[in-house]
Amino acid sequence: MIPDVGELLDGLVDREIQTVTGAVNRITVVRPPNVMVATAKSPDGRPVPIAWVEEALRRLVADGEVPIEPSEIGYRSAFIGAVLKTLPGAVVEGGRPPVIRLSGPAGGRVATPYRPQDENVEVAAPAPAVAADPDSFGNGLRAHHRLQNELARLVVANGLEPLSPSPDGPHYDLAWKTDAGSITVVEVKSATEAGEVRQLRMGLGQVLDYASVLQRRGFAVRSVLHIEREPAGAERWLEITGNAGVLLTWPGAEERLGLIG
């Protein structure tokens, strides 16, 4: 979860904190919308917008790392880096520019570039006694991959970057970001007439689980359940998913996501 930036800065008042190059900064007072920062060049203090610190902090928690570079986090990047260094698990990695990374539960990326799925994959059905996910074998798996790839291509066509889960993140099917602290996360489900209700119930639970993990990491999450076809009793399912804070879509209804084919 993203620490409260006000509490973080208040806790650093009158403490000497070091930038990634070793220069000493000292917060003299927190007076929103700014924090006053004294340095060797400005011993009386100069204002830095708290919003800059907050955005860099959000980016660090969301992505697991942030470059300490004016073009990335503002021209007071040295001070912002000094603040971020005080976080538990923060590690500085040298380079041009240097990067601050988080280790531990708050760190780690939650997404990687999208990995296209094999739409011709062959996985045999499990033994009859095994209650397997229909999307894990046979036609269900191939349909799942096709749906996922189709939605990823639509995301690209709308100028966004489709994402796949990283080892550190929840294992959603597809995601994309609209800014540093916001993510749309999608659970994709195949559906037959006989298995439609089971798939809707399972998918709803899965995407709520993923959203919970991402929210705890500080993201604003839009949760989506994308199913192979418009479900029978669609109005009822739209109500159920809507009450749970989940957007229900299917091929032909992608405009509900703000995506234009």
Side-chain angles (χ1 to χ4, degrees), residues 128-141:
V130 177
D133 181 347
D135 279 5
S136 66
F137 64 92
N139 291 333
L141 178 59

Side-chain angles (χ1 to χ4, degrees), residues 16-26 39 56 60 65-70 73-87 90-102:
E16 290 188 348
I17 56 177
Q18 291 190 340
T19 69
V20 295
T21 60
V24 173
N25 284 194
R26 181 172 58 86
T39 65
L60 176 62
E65 65 179 35
V66 63
I68 306 306
E69 169 74 12
I73 58 175
Y75 83 94
R76 295 304 301 269
S77 60
F79 163 70
I80 295 171
V83 172
L84 298 182
K85 276 181 59 186
T86 68
L87 293 170
V91 176
V92 179
E93 295 191 1
R96 296 185 178 180
V99 172
I100 292 181
R101 288 192 169 90
L102 282 183

Side-chain angles (χ1 to χ4, degrees), residues 98-119:
V99 172
I100 292 181
R101 288 192 169 90
L102 282 183
S103 60
R109 292 183 177 274
V110 299
T112 64
Y114 182 67
R115 298 182 293 274
Q117 302 298 294
D118 181 0
E119 298 180 22

Side-chain angles (χ1 to χ4, degrees), residues 114 116-117 119 142-158 162 174 176 188 226-228 250-252 254 259 261:
Y114 182 67
Q117 302 298 294
E119 298 180 22
R142 287 187 288 274
H144 182 282
H145 285 184
R146 173 178 52 77
L147 287 165
Q148 186 174 319
N149 287 340
E150 287 174 353
L151 190 55
R153 287 191 288 269
L154 188 58
V155 170
V156 171
N158 280 263
L174 174 68
W176 60 90
V188 175
H226 187 67
I227 195 162
E228 185 174 7
W250 52 84
E254 294 90 352
L259 300 177

Side-chain angles (χ1 to χ4, degrees), residues 49-74:
I50 293 173
W52 291 4
V53 182
E54 185 173 28
E55 178 57 30
L57 178 61
R58 179 180 294 276
R59 181 172 171 184
L60 176 62
V61 174
D63 291 347
E65 65 179 35
V66 63
I68 306 306
E69 169 74 12
S71 63
E72 296 279 352
I73 58 175

